[in-house]
Amino acid sequence: MRDEISKLLEKEGILSKESLKELSQLDIHKFFDNVKELGEEKTEHIQKEKITKDLNTSFIGKEIYIFKEVMSTNTVAKFFAENKVSDGTVIISEKQTNAKGRSGKPWDSPLGGVWLSIILNPRIDYSKLPMITLATGVAVAKTLERLGIEDVEIKWPNDVLINGEKVSGILTEAIAKFNTIESIIVGVGLDVNLDLSDFSDDLQGKITSLKVITGKEFNENDIIRTFLEEFEKICKLFIDGEYENVLNQWRKRSYTIGKIVEVRKPYNKTYDGYVTGINKEGALIVEKIDGTLEKVVSGECIIKN
């Protein structure tokens, strides 16, 4: 992680190539201060003052750092979390050069999208981690609904779709020490003002953007502000233990429940089944061909019908 942050500082001219050799000896607090200062510099397309104007939240987005370009906002957010920033701090980048989604899949992140990570410091058990991803999907869906977009659905566990095409992905990562969760990083990518030609060849036909769907462009700052508000609402339900409320909001937007899927689990284990629902921990419940029920906590589900 430190190497990636170093490359960011080198790119911005804060560190020279020669000084990178001595980076391991640099005081970590000074190192962090340099990164914070970079995140407070004025950016062209996404602007803090436009996001925070009329932002109706109590803790999400009270600290916001915006970068012109990073490899991954989740990586930067992890670095900030390890340096004890406040709960609800948001890291945003106008573009990412090496973003990854679930299972390490690449995620194109050029100018024209919303690429951000939120740092949470909740006291929760590991069993509740999948719920954070589901709750974030609901926040993205409700953001799009506030923009007047219809037919928004959520594909388990971390994709948001419009008319069956992926427009947003979520990557949740935990920072833990001694089996205790210290911070959670919630990464969100939303394709906003992108054309199909902006996506790499291997993603063509798999994802879309708000611009492609609606034929019009959107203000990314307004979308970020709306999302932060919706995220805080669903996050407060989660913090208060109202898990069933969160799950019900997810269920009514589910693209996965009622579908025949191919479940791809770690170590190349696959099987087909029918999705009957999700349980109170956010795990997918799949009825296999032999009639047995399987609880899917991790892995990937490929829709087959």
Side-chain angles (χ1 to χ4, degrees):
M1 182 193 305
R2 196 173 171 108
D3 287 343
E4 289 191 30
I5 301 297
S6 304
K7 291 176 183 176
L8 169 64
L9 296 178
E10 180 189 355
K11 181 179 178 61
E12 296 297 326
I14 295 175
L15 290 177
S16 66
K17 290 183 178 180
E18 290 73 22
S19 64
L20 289 177
K21 298 176 183 178
E22 303 174 359
L23 189 59
S24 60
Q25 301 175 5
L26 187 65
D27 178 74
I28 188 63
H29 299 295
K30 178 64 175 177
F31 187 47
F32 178 59
D33 287 343
N34 284 333
V35 180
K36 281 183 66 175
E37 289 173 8
L38 183 57
E40 292 171 339
E41 291 183 359
K42 187 174 181 60
T43 44
E44 181 179 357
H45 302 279
I46 297 179
Q47 299 167 2
K48 181 178 178 179
E49 61 271 19
K50 292 184 178 179
I51 296 171
T52 56
K53 182 181 180 182
D54 301 322
L55 176 64
N56 184 23
T57 61
S58 61
F59 74 101
I60 297 294
K62 292 307 175 183
E63 279 192 74
I64 297 178
Y65 299 92
I66 304 174
F67 299 86
K68 298 175 184 177
E69 179 183 311
V70 300
M71 296 180 70
S72 164
T73 58
N74 265 29
T75 298
V76 177
K78 289 177 192 175
F79 179 66
F80 273 67
E82 290 179 353
N83 284 275
K84 310 302 181 185
V85 293
S86 63
D87 191 20
T89 294
V90 181
I91 307 297
I92 305 171
S93 186
E94 294 188 325
K95 63 179 179 177
Q96 300 177 110
T97 59
N98 192 32
K100 293 288 189 295
R102 193 174 173 87
S103 302
K105 294 180 180 178
W107 180 269
D108 287 355
S109 311
L111 286 173
V114 167
W115 326 117
L116 62 81
S117 298
I118 301 174
I119 301 167
L120 299 177
N121 301 316
R123 295 182 179 180
I124 64 168
D125 188 80
Y126 270 102
S127 64
K128 297 301 181 184
L129 272 178
M131 289 278 291
I132 292 284
T133 301
L134 301 186
T136 305
V138 172
V140 173
K142 295 183 77 171
T143 298
L144 300 182
E145 290 162 1
R146 280 178 60 176
L147 295 175
I149 297 173
E150 300 177 348
D151 300 316
V152 181
E153 295 176 292
I154 309 171
K155 178 178 175 289
W156 187 93
N158 65 325
D159 294 340
V160 178
L161 316 177
I162 301 174
N163 298 326
E165 296 182 298
K166 181 175 178 177
V167 73
S168 175
I170 299 158
L171 180 62
T172 304
E173 300 180 274
I175 298 176
K177 291 184 180 178
F178 306 111
N179 295 320
T180 300
I181 295 176
E182 295 198 336
S183 298
I184 296 172
I185 309 300
V186 181
V188 176
L190 177 61
D191 298 323
V192 183
N193 296 320
L194 303 180
D195 297 309
L196 292 178
S197 58
D198 293 320
F199 301 121
S200 59
D201 291 342
D202 60 333
L203 293 178
Q204 292 291 333
K206 298 178 181 178
I207 58 179
T208 188
S209 72
L210 301 186
K211 180 181 178 182
V212 171
I213 292 290
T214 66
K216 62 179 182 180
E217 293 196 352
F218 294 81
N219 187 303
E220 293 102 321
N221 298 289
D222 293 341
I223 290 177
I224 292 171
R225 180 174 59 252
T226 302
F227 169 72
L228 296 181
E229 292 175 352
E230 291 299 334
F231 183 82
E232 179 168 289
K233 291 176 188 175
I234 202 78
C235 192
K236 284 183 175 180
L237 291 178
F238 180 89
I239 293 170
D240 293 340
E242 296 188 36
Y243 306 125
E244 194 59 30
N245 190 330
V246 175
L247 289 172
N248 284 337
Q249 292 191 57
W250 187 91
R251 288 185 183 109
K252 73 178 185 179
R253 296 174 175 85
S254 173
Y255 179 80
T256 312
I257 295 175
K259 296 287 200 308
I260 296 174
V261 300
E262 177 187 294
V263 178
R264 297 179 180 177
K265 301 189 73 174
Y267 309 109
N268 297 318
K269 294 181 179 180
T270 65
Y271 60 86
D272 290 350
Y274 175 81
V275 181
T276 63
I278 54 173
N279 67 8
K280 61 182 180 180
E281 279 81 34
L284 207 64
I285 305 301
V286 177
E287 182 179 350
K288 300 170 71 174
I289 294 175
D290 62 6
T292 60
L293 295 178
E294 183 85 8
K295 182 173 70 172
V296 184
V297 178
S298 62
E300 186 176 7
C301 284
I302 309 299
I303 306 295
K304 300 193 74 172
N305 69 329

